[in-house]
């Protein structure tokens, strides 16, 4: 490597920080100090929820495997219509109207709560 | 500026003394702004980058292990900040084709000065067009007084890697500069 290239690369002009630089840095530091600490991720709750989801999936998978191992191909062909039929019968009962009404009310209240906030965000 | 001053002020900051950090800023603002300027060639942005580096240093002072010099730790941190910020928002790129060719007319004092300025600009732009890892190696090496170990530590790479990058960077520079540097005053980039 030539000395000349070394010299050229080394001799870049020096920049003097502006007079308010230190103050700006200290203001930023003070602002960072005053800001509330970031909310830590709730690992305990997340792990608990993940564990519950994993357990549910595991139990469901075990159940499906157990049912599948016991049933024959003919059972499966009637399984879906039977489920649909049972659901329709349950819905048709007069007491299920309250369950449906409660679900509709819950859905309506969720939508009602979401719409104004979405509208405010758009503004 | 001594290592003891830095260590004492770091202890002060960790004990909650904000004035100690102000002393650190005053002591290191020049080097940090200058290093940032070499990365971006924009004074305003250099100050923004240096401010971000100081802020991160303030938050991470407890992570400084005393076996390394404070300056080494600070430069490594600042280099990381500059690299990541400039990757996120790169400065406007300049094609090497725009580099002014050295003039070949009469050589009075003014033209010699102009040629020297052209030559400096050409080298600087050639450095700017290098791939980041070679550019960073060159910037840190020359900024840290051609100390390979210090530059390698600031970049977080082994000294062997830095030497290889410097060698490759010089090869690339030589190739970029050689067509327009046949003039007597142009940098002669010959093999060592």
């Amino acid at each position: 490597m030539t000395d000349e290239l070394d010299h050229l690369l080394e001799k870049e002009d020096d920049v003097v920080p502006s007079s308010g630089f230190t103050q700006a840095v200290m203001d930023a530091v003070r602002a960072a100090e005053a800001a509330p600490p970031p909310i830590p991720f709730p690992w305990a709750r997340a792990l608990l929820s993940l564990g519950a989801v994993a357990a549910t999936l595991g139990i469901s998978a075990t159940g499906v495997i157990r049912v599948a191992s016991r049933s024959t191909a003919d059972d499966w062909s009637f399984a879906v219509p039977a489920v649909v039929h049972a659901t329709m019968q349950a819905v048709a009962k007069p007491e299920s109207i309250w369950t449906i009404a409660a679900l509709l009310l819950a859905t309506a209240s969720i939508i009602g709560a979401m719409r104004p906030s979405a509208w405010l965000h758009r503004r | 500026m001594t290592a003891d001053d830095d260590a004492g002020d770091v202890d002060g900051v960790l004990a909650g003394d904000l004035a100690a950090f102000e002393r650190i800023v005053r002591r290191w603002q020049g080097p940090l702004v200058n290093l940032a300027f070499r990365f971006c060639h924009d004074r305003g942005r250099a100050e923004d980058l240096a401010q971000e580096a100081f802020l991160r240093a303030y938050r991470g002072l407890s992570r400084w292990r005393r076996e390394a010099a404070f300056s080494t730790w600070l430069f490594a941190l600042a280099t990381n900040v500059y690299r990541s910020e400039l990757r996120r928002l790169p400065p406007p790129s300049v094609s090497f084709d725009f580099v002014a060719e050295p003039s070949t007319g009469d050589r009075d004092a003014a033209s010699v000065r102009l040629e020297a300025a052209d030559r400096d600009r050409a080298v600087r732009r050639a450095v700017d067009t290098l791939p980041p890892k070679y550019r960073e190696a060159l910037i840190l090496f020359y900024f840290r007084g051609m100390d390979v170990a210090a530059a390698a530590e600031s970049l977080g790479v082994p000294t062997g890697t830095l030497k290889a990058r410097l060698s490759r960077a010089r090869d690339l520079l030589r190739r970029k500069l050689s067509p327009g540097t046949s003039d007597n005053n142009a940098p002669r980039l010959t093999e060592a």
Side-chain angles (χ1 to χ4, degrees):
Chain A
M1 191 72 201
T2 59
D3 288 343
E4 189 171 6
L5 182 59
D6 278 336
H7 176 68
L8 284 170
L9 288 166
E10 203 183 12
K11 75 164 191 177
E12 184 134 4
D13 295 336
D14 271 352
V15 176
V16 178
S18 58
S19 56
F21 179 74
T22 308
Q23 194 55 47
V25 173
M26 292 314 293
D27 287 348
V29 168
R30 283 189 196 99
E33 275 286 277
I39 300 166
F41 187 79
W43 281 110
R45 285 184 194 179
L47 288 175
L48 210 65
S49 309
L50 279 174
V53 168
T56 310
L57 285 174
I59 291 166
S60 307
T62 314
V64 167
I65 290 166
R66 198 176 294 158
V67 168
S69 63
R70 280 187 200 156
S71 59
T72 62
D74 288 345
D75 292 338
W76 283 103
S77 62
F78 287 105
V80 174
V83 166
V84 173
H85 182 67
T87 310
M88 292 303 287
Q89 271 190 332
V91 169
K93 284 179 184 171
E95 57 265 29
S96 23
I97 195 80
W98 296 111
T99 313
I100 293 165
L103 283 171
L104 287 175
L105 194 65
T107 312
S109 64
I110 289 168
I111 292 168
M114 283 169 74
R115 279 214 175 143
S117 66
W119 184 77
L120 281 172
H121 278 294
R122 240 180 277 141
R123 305 267 302 180
Chain B
M1 120 175 35
T2 68
D4 287 346
D5 290 340
D6 290 326
D9 284 337
V10 170
D11 288 338
V13 176
L14 294 177
D17 178 11
L18 219 55
F21 192 71
E22 191 165 341
R23 287 194 292 277
I24 292 176
V25 174
R26 286 190 192 285
R27 205 175 299 135
W28 290 103
Q29 59 180 350
L32 252 59
V33 169
N34 271 288
L35 180 60
F37 185 76
R38 292 192 182 201
F39 273 93
C40 65
H41 299 298
D42 176 334
R43 190 198 169 100
R45 189 151 189 218
E47 291 201 353
D48 288 346
L49 290 171
Q51 178 172 322
E52 181 61 28
F54 275 122
L55 205 55
R56 300 236 189 129
Y58 177 76
R59 289 186 187 131
L61 270 184
S62 58
R63 286 197 295 274
W64 172 44
R65 291 187 212 131
R66 314 270 168 148
E67 64 253 32
F70 179 73
S71 60
T72 302
W73 177 80
L74 188 63
F75 279 125
L77 182 144
T79 304
N80 270 331
V81 171
Y82 302 164
R83 288 157 89 188
S84 56
E85 286 294 309
L86 291 170
R87 272 179 199 154
R88 198 170 61 81
L89 279 174
S93 59
V94 179
S95 164
F96 190 70
D97 298 337
F98 288 106
V99 174
E101 291 285 326
S103 57
T104 51
D106 292 337
R107 298 172 52 78
D108 57 10
S111 72
V112 167
R113 271 201 302 278
L114 275 175
E115 274 179 23
D118 279 351
R119 194 180 49 192
D120 290 354
R121 250 196 312 277
V123 172
R124 209 166 301 149
R125 287 194 175 183
V127 172
D128 286 345
T129 59
L130 291 176
K133 64 180 180 181
Y134 302 124
R135 188 161 48 92
E136 289 161 6
L138 277 182
I139 290 172
L140 262 296
F141 176 68
Y142 288 101
F143 186 76
R144 306 230 45 195
M146 291 192 267
D147 181 342
V148 174
E153 211 161 343
S154 292
L155 281 170
V157 296
T159 50
T161 305
L162 184 83
K163 282 180 186 169
R165 285 184 187 175
L166 283 172
S167 167
R168 177 82 181 124
R170 285 161 176 157
D171 281 347
L172 289 170
L173 268 187
R174 202 173 292 133
R175 232 173 283 161
K176 281 174 188 284
L177 289 167
S178 55
T181 53
S182 54
D183 192 73
N184 289 341
N185 273 351
R188 292 182 303 280
L189 309 175
T190 54
E191 292 289 345

